[in-house]
Amino acid sequence: MDLINLKGIGPKTLKILNKIGINSDEDLITHYPFRYNILKKTDLDSLESDSYIVTDGVVESMPYLVHIGRRMDKMTFRLNVGTRIINVTIFNRGFYKSKLTIGTTITIMGKYDIKHNNCVAADIRFSKLPEVPTIEPIYHATYGLSSRELSKVIDLRLKSDIDVIDYVPDYLNYKYGFMEKEKAIRIAHHPMNINDLKKARQKLKYEELFIFMLKMNYLKNYKSKEIGLKRDVDYNEVLKFIDSLPFRLTEDQLSSVEDIYKDLTGPNRMNRLLQGDVGSGKTIVSIISMYINYLAGYQSALMAPTEILASQHYNNISKLFKDLDIKVELLTGKLKVKEKKIIVEKLKNNEIDIIIGTHALFSDDVAYNNLGLVITDEQHRFGVNQRASLKNKGITPDILYMSATPIPRTYALTIYGDMDISSIKTMPSGRKEIITTLKKPSEIKDVLTSMDNELSLGHQIYVVAPLIEESDKIDLENVYEIEANMNKAFGKKYNIGVLHGKLSETEKDEIMDKFKNNDIQILISTTVVEVGVDVPNATMMVIYDAFRFGLSALHQLRGRVGRNSLQSYCILLSNRETERLDILTKTTDGFKVAEEDFKLRGSGDLFGSRQSGDMQFNLADLKKDFDILMKAKEDSEEFLLNEDDRYTYIKSLVINANNLD
Ligand code: ADP
Ligand code: MG
């Protein structure tokens, strides 16, 4: 059925529906509410703590309206709810003032503060609550289409039959006691009670995740069967190179190298994720991989997310290979046209063995002679498009993704279910644990003293702040304000630099270079400094308003220090104490941080690294529905072994959807 033929959908509504991604009948039916209002009067007398309430009542006092700044307003009035009179506050609904006359019956919903007998209403309805408790679906209102209008359109549609395919095989529906898909869809839009709603959502989420895991599993099987390049490399040659390094590899580094060696010399194409904390030494593993690839006579490309990182890699790698006959070049968007031309020409003629760069490596005008290995650093920074561009060039090199957002294995097996995984869990020996402390802004004097100590030892310091400029709305520290303060404290003796995303690439590089060369001792920056930057002499990081950052972002930031044998420090400045910040003071192990993050709030940032378009679900939320995901994972593995041809329709759905690459 075409949407336009549906009752209630005219050209104007159709346009809006298309804009929010609803293009087919099925899209419409599966466009679920994002939350529900339970229209049932809350018994205020049995409340024990502040909570979200719903109640109707009669307006007792003239609303009092004040304007806050140009855009906001705030209205307060008293509401008689039968058993008591409560104070109601509502923001940005000044336009209701004239309707809220004394004696009017209304319904409010919002957060009730028991102690102050005050409810901050999220919404007002000019009606009584229904006699029987009802559940009201709330849809995201967008492009001028309100939740209620959308609800009406969907209701009209649901008056007719719906014809949807249930992709959960019947034996699994039976196993979990799932309801039929059609019923589940109807209930999701119009639940009669919470219990049914839960069951309906459970089924629909499971279906989404089951299909997702099926795709992952299918892709893994399919990818692992792809024929790889032939390489004949003696492992002793590799060991010799490893022996020549200025340090000894850790056990995990060595076993990662072995994994990769086996992939590269084995029959199948490599599709591997190398994960390990910041500073765990992934780069050297990638360098050895490129060396193996070089020995086999192929070109390698190492792609970094920023110019800074690319040139850092370039410098390190050139140094390591300087006594060997390996030609290394750097290709970034910054090169002059002429320079780029020369490099492109050399790549084509196989006069370059290893090319390092940003996504410029795969721009349209770059062609390779015999590209055998592609490595992406901090892979989660790359869009799906960049990875797809490889495919478009018609080359199928081995691929190694590096990620500094380590994920405990059980979780990795789902979200990275289509890849093989090597993990580096321990830091190189000689590293001291970063000492992390939590400080209140009022303790800034102590912080400055600690900073002074580090500086006087000849070390450098990162200072990180969440915002660039003074904001008039929220009072946050910002880099320029901090710069002024730091200048007061240290300006006479030390150089201070500022780095943020609004600077041009050249300006950023300049500042970073100065910091690397110790021409700048204190670098104040936003999170642009987050990715991979390596300045071993920096031994302290001070993070302002630390509570503003996610756990994994903080952990990443902290990884900028502690990059050699010096004792390093991380000071988290925050006027709030949170469990998150507490975790960071207790552990520096990224796998543990991820695990704790997971316990605290579902999967937390774990999956942030892979939240691409391919991973968007109508209902399921990888952050919250992890247990369903795990079930779906096991079931899908079993299902793929099932030869029953009654299920081919499910498998064909998966095979046609090979867009997860
Ligand atoms: P990341 O995993 O964050 O990419 P790097 O590869 O940048 O970490 O390594 C951090 C630092 O540790 C580098 O300076 C690197 O030379 C050094 N390093 C790597 N492996 C070892 C090791 N086994 N022993 C000592 N130092 C090492
Ligand atoms: Mg790195």
Side-chain angles (χ1 to χ4, degrees), residues 391-418:
K391 249 191 174 170
N392 295 340
K393 283 180 185 287
I395 34 182
T396 50
D398 289 280
I399 302 208
L400 180 68
Y401 301 102
M402 297 199 282
S403 169
T405 319
I407 300 180
R409 197 162 180 84
T410 26
Y411 315 139
L413 285 176
T414 57
I415 204 73
Y416 292 113
D418 56 334

Side-chain angles (χ1 to χ4, degrees), residues 407-470:
I407 300 180
R409 197 162 180 84
T410 26
Y411 315 139
L413 285 176
T414 57
I415 204 73
Y416 292 113
D418 56 334
M419 299 182 206
D420 293 306
I421 300 169
S422 300
S423 304
I424 306 182
K425 290 201 167 149
T426 52
M427 289 287 177
S429 63
R431 296 280 167 76
K432 295 198 175 68
E433 287 240 321
I434 301 166
I435 297 175
T436 304
T437 49
L438 199 53
K439 291 271 179 200
K440 293 211 172 61
S442 59
E443 297 170 292
I444 188 75
K445 275 224 168 95
D446 296 350
V447 178
L448 293 176
T449 310
S450 307
M451 288 177 72
D452 196 41
N453 266 340
E454 280 309 294
L455 291 166
S456 64
L457 291 170
H459 302 160
Q460 290 159 276
I461 299 178
Y462 292 102
V463 177
V464 175
L467 273 193
I468 303 173
E469 282 148 5
E470 183 94 271

Side-chain angles (χ1 to χ4, degrees), residues 27 29 89 103 106 109 112 119 155 250 362 405 479 548 554 567 600 615 619:
D27 290 346
I29 298 170
T89 305
I106 61 167
M109 42 207 80
Y112 183 57
C119 178
D155 278 359
T250 63
F362 298 105
T405 319
V479 288
R548 293 248 152 208
L554 287 170
Q567 178 61 57
L600 266 184
M615 302 224 175
L619 266 192

Side-chain angles (χ1 to χ4, degrees), residues 247-249 253 277-283 428 431 534 563:
F247 45 73
R248 291 200 34 204
L249 292 191
Q253 282 175 317
D277 243 320
V278 183
S280 61
K282 295 181 293 296
T283 315
R431 296 280 167 76
D534 192 16
R563 297 178 79 85

Side-chain angles (χ1 to χ4, degrees), residues 229 231 269-270 371-374 390 395-399:
L229 297 169
R231 289 186 187 80
R269 189 177 172 199
M270 176 167 77
L371 185 63
L373 174 63
V374 172
L390 265 185
I395 34 182
T396 50
D398 289 280
I399 302 208

Side-chain angles (χ1 to χ4, degrees), residues 278-279 281-283 309 312-313 377-378 402 404 532-533 560 563:
V278 183
K282 295 181 293 296
T283 315
L309 270 176
Q312 189 176 288
H313 280 317
D377 193 11
E378 317 293 347
M402 297 199 282
V533 180
R560 296 302 122 227
R563 297 178 79 85

Side-chain angles (χ1 to χ4, degrees), residues 399-630:
I399 302 208
L400 180 68
Y401 301 102
M402 297 199 282
S403 169
T405 319
I407 300 180
R409 197 162 180 84
T410 26
Y411 315 139
L413 285 176
T414 57
I415 204 73
Y416 292 113
D418 56 334
M419 299 182 206
D420 293 306
I421 300 169
S422 300
S423 304
I424 306 182
K425 290 201 167 149
T426 52
M427 289 287 177
S429 63
R431 296 280 167 76
K432 295 198 175 68
E433 287 240 321
I434 301 166
I435 297 175
T436 304
T437 49
L438 199 53
K439 291 271 179 200
K440 293 211 172 61
S442 59
E443 297 170 292
I444 188 75
K445 275 224 168 95
D446 296 350
V447 178
L448 293 176
T449 310
S450 307
M451 288 177 72
D452 196 41
N453 266 340
E454 280 309 294
L455 291 166
S456 64
L457 291 170
H459 302 160
Q460 290 159 276
I461 299 178
Y462 292 102
V463 177
V464 175
L467 273 193
I468 303 173
E469 282 148 5
E470 183 94 271
S471 145
D472 53 6
K473 280 212 184 113
I474 334 162
D475 181 28
L476 276 179
E477 300 289 346
N478 63 81
V479 288
Y480 287 118
E481 196 181 312
I482 295 169
E483 186 196 16
N485 290 336
M486 291 293 158
N487 251 321
K488 255 185 248 159
F490 302 112
K492 283 204 186 103
K493 275 160 62 188
Y494 302 103
N495 294 331
I496 296 166
V498 168
L499 187 74
H500 56 73
K502 289 203 175 157
L503 298 176
S504 73
E505 283 299 321
T506 332
E507 289 169 315
K508 273 191 247 174
D509 287 2
E510 226 167 77
I511 303 266
M512 253 348 274
D513 277 341
K514 280 191 183 161
F515 191 58
K516 263 187 223 167
N517 297 331
N518 202 0
D519 294 333
I520 287 175
Q521 285 76 43
I522 303 175
L523 181 66
I524 302 165
S525 90
T526 55
T527 48
V528 284
V529 80
E530 187 186 332
V531 192
V533 180
D534 192 16
V535 182
N537 191 47
T539 55
M540 180 174 276
M541 169 157 290
V542 179
I543 305 176
Y544 276 76
D545 287 323
F547 67 91
R548 293 248 152 208
F549 297 96
L551 194 47
S552 106
L554 287 170
H555 179 68
Q556 289 274 319
L557 280 169
R558 176 169 66 174
R560 296 302 122 227
V561 298
R563 297 178 79 85
N564 61 18
S565 55
L566 300 170
Q567 178 61 57
S568 287
Y569 305 88
C570 176
I571 301 176
L572 304 169
L573 271 168
S574 171
N575 50 18
R576 300 181 208 172
E577 274 180 51
T578 67
E579 211 169 327
R580 265 184 308 149
L581 298 180
D582 207 43
I583 289 166
L584 288 170
T585 62
K586 293 195 178 116
T587 181
T588 51
D589 177 341
F591 287 91
K592 269 202 199 118
V593 169
E595 188 100 47
E596 290 295 331
D597 201 12
F598 185 87
K599 279 188 210 147
L600 266 184
R601 42 175 199 140
S603 68
D605 288 339
L606 283 189
F607 298 140
S609 53
R610 240 199 138 166
Q611 290 284 20
S612 63
D614 314 315
M615 302 224 175
Q616 269 161 24
F617 305 101
N618 279 330
L619 266 192
D621 179 350
L622 289 180
K623 292 186 179 162
K624 293 181 191 141
D625 300 318
F626 194 76
D627 42 343
I628 309 180
L629 182 66
M630 287 307 277

